[in-house]
């Protein structure tokens, strides 16, 4: 069934969300431009609200009730958007339209805000499993949302989408060890640090690169790679036109880990950045794996993602909005446009 066209004001809000990503979310924007229009436009609205939420929490330290108050205000905005009475902000209005048309359950955004709340509380993560719980909230949620935009509602497909979100978050954590530490944040599993002979609190007070912290970063990247390897089966369940964009996202973020490895696992003294030329090559590669194998055994749902998969699988979109619109641009044209961003 063909999707019902959006009214002009809603399309203008979506365009504004997409434009807002050009300054601070270029990797996401690049990957999303490889998606058909019926997916990348609503994806921009979801991501724009996520960025707005993240920034409002980060910038709330000097304002009134502080970050915890910012999380509460975001939850109020979210409830208004789901009620169909969003605040007079383009990101809120676009979000209200997208969640209704695509059946994005409130539980996914509620979990995302819970993850932001954990950041505000300075929550500690002693094990990989507890870190998975955090990554499921701040990134697995986004994977589930993206799957729903592409019409994927089977539990196996949703599980792989959440795997990808968690893997991408682990890559980000491995890249930002030093940057996070200088802000007083530590996401590396503390049990792993103790096993490597490090006292987490002492290291956080004086973060420095050494072989012990390198071994912990290596373990985290290995954990991310295990999840990236599970994603092929999920990509194979996507509409053909959607596969290049998701491939681009996983290749670009997995390359962050490889860049950290090339720097000897030193993500403390400097932040790894993937060169533009390699990004362009990965974008080209993303269109060559349109039919990945699904012969491997189906992996179980990551325990941290179970509640996300259950919520997403039970959701239903509005009638007439089930299928993403067919892209009007060729894949080659989308690749060229995306590469030009770099």
């Amino acid at each position: 069934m063909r999707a019902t066209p959006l009214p002009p004001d809603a399309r203008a809000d979506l365009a504004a969300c997409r434009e807002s990503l050009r300054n601070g979310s270029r990797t996401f924007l690049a990957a999303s431009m490889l998606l058909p229009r019926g997916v990348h436009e609503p994806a921009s609205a979801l991501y724009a609200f996520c960025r707005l939420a993240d920034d409002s929490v980060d910038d709330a330290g000097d304002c009134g009730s502080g970050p915890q108050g910012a999380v509460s205000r975001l939850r109020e905005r979210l409830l208004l958007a789901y009620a169909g009475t969003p605040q007079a902000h383009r990101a809120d209005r676009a979000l209200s339209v997208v969640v209704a048309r695509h059946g994005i359950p409130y539980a996914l955004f509620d979990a995302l805000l819970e993850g932001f709340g954990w950041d505000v509380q300075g929550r500690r993560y002693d094990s990989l499993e507890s870190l998975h719980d955090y990554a499921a909230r701040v990134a697995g949620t986004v994977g589930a949302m993206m799957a729903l935009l592409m019409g994927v509602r089977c539990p196996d497909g949703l599980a792989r989408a959440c795997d990808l979100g968690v893997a991408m978050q682990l890559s980000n954590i491995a890249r930002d060890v030093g940057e996070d530490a200088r802000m007083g944040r530590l996401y590396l599993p503390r049990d792993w640090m103790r096993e490597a002979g490090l006292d987490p609190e002492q290291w956080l007070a004086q973060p420095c690169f050494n072989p012990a912290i390198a071994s912990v970063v290596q373990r985290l990247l290995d954990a991310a790679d295990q999840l990236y390897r599970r994603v092929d089966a999920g990509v194979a369940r996507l509409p053909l036109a959607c596969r290049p964009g998701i491939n681009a996202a996983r290749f670009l973020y997995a390359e962050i880990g490889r860049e950290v490895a090339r720097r000897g696992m030193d993500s403390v003294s400097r932040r790894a950045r993937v060169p533009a030329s390699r990004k362009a090559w990965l974008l080209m590669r993303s269109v060559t794996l349109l039919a990945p194998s699904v012969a491997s055994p189906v992996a179980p749902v990551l325990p941290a993602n179970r509640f996300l998969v259950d919520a997403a699988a039970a959701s239903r979109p509005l009638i007439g909005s089930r299928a993403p619109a067919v892209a009007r641009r060729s894949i080659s044209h989308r690749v060229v446009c995306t590469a030009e961003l770099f």
Side-chain angles (χ1 to χ4, degrees), residues 168-186:
M168 291 164 68
Q169 184 64 26
L170 296 185
S171 294
N172 280 344
I173 290 171
R175 177 193 61 191
D176 297 339
V177 172
E179 185 174 310
D180 287 335
R182 286 184 282 276
M183 293 190 295
R185 296 177 178 178
L186 180 62

Side-chain angles (χ1 to χ4, degrees), residues 96-145:
S96 184
V97 171
V98 168
V99 298
R101 285 173 64 88
H102 295 274
I104 310 295
Y106 175 81
L108 298 184
F109 271 105
D110 189 51
L112 176 69
L113 294 186
E114 184 180 25
F116 290 163
W118 288 6
D119 278 334
V120 171
Q121 298 161 15
R123 193 180 182 102
R124 297 184 175 189
Y125 306 101
D126 286 325
S127 65
L128 178 62
E129 291 73 24
S130 63
L131 185 59
H132 280 167
D133 288 337
Y134 169 72
R137 283 159 175 78
V138 298
T141 50
V142 180
M145 293 176 198

Side-chain angles (χ1 to χ4, degrees), residues 77-85 95-96 99-100 103-109:
R77 291 175 67 171
L78 188 60
L79 287 169
L80 289 172
Y82 269 85
T85 56
L95 178 72
S96 184
V99 298
I104 310 295
Y106 175 81
L108 298 184
F109 271 105

Side-chain angles (χ1 to χ4, degrees), residues 152-163 233-234 237 298-301 309:
V152 175
R153 281 180 160 76
C154 65
D156 289 343
L158 289 166
R160 302 291 78 80
C162 293
D163 282 345
R237 294 179 181 274
V298 176
V301 178
V309 172

